Amino acid sequence: MPINIVPEWMINLDDEDIVFIKKFLLVSGSLKEMAKQYDVTYPTVRLRLDKLIQKIQISEDANNEPYIALIKRLAVNEKIDFDTAKILISEYKKTNWEAE
C-alpha cells in the first residue's frame, strides 16, 4: 500500500488550486481549453495560473523566511494589498538586520 506524501509546495494550496492543477494537466496545459472549461477569458485563466505560480514560489521561500512567506501569501490571496505587504516585509527586514 503506497504512502501518501504531500509535497511541501502543495501544503498551502486550496482545494480549488489542486482542482485547477488537475484540470490543467488533463488539458495538456492549454490555457485556451482551461478558459473554455471555466467559461472565462484567456487572460482570466492566465491571471489565475500566475497567482498559483506565486503561491508555489512563496511556499518554496517559506523555508528561508516563514514570516515573509506568510506576508506574501496574504497578499497573493488578497487578504492584504501589495503595498502593505511591501511595508511589512521592509520593516521586518530592518528589524532583523538591526538585531544581528
Side-chain angles (χ1 to χ4, degrees):
M1 179 174 246
I3 298 173
N4 290 331
I5 299 175
V6 178
E8 188 72 29
W9 61 269
M10 289 184 81
I11 291 173
N12 293 316
L13 298 180
D14 301 328
D15 289 343
E16 280 183 27
D17 295 331
I18 303 298
V19 170
F20 184 89
I21 291 170
K22 181 179 177 182
K23 286 184 177 188
F24 185 71
L25 292 173
L26 291 173
V27 298
S28 301
S30 169
L31 294 180
K32 191 174 182 179
E33 186 58 36
M34 290 291 288
K36 284 181 190 176
Q37 287 193 15
Y38 280 98
D39 195 26
V40 295
T41 64
Y42 177 95
T44 301
V45 172
R46 180 74 238 180
L47 181 62
R48 174 87 187 270
L49 180 61
D50 289 343
K51 284 187 175 188
L52 186 53
I53 290 167
Q54 287 177 330
K55 282 184 178 183
I56 292 169
Q57 288 171 334
I58 288 167
S59 291
E60 298 289 310
D61 294 342
N63 296 333
N64 299 329
E65 290 286 346
Y67 178 78
I68 291 175
L70 169 65
I71 298 301
K72 288 180 178 180
R73 196 166 44 252
L74 289 171
V76 168
N77 291 327
E78 298 176 352
K79 302 293 183 191
I80 62 173
D81 62 82
F82 280 101
D83 290 335
T84 302
K86 288 179 190 176
I87 292 168
L88 290 171
I89 290 169
S90 175
E91 290 300 314
Y92 174 78
K93 286 181 177 180
K94 283 182 198 175
T95 303
N96 282 345
W97 287 336
E98 290 171 3
E100 291 178 3

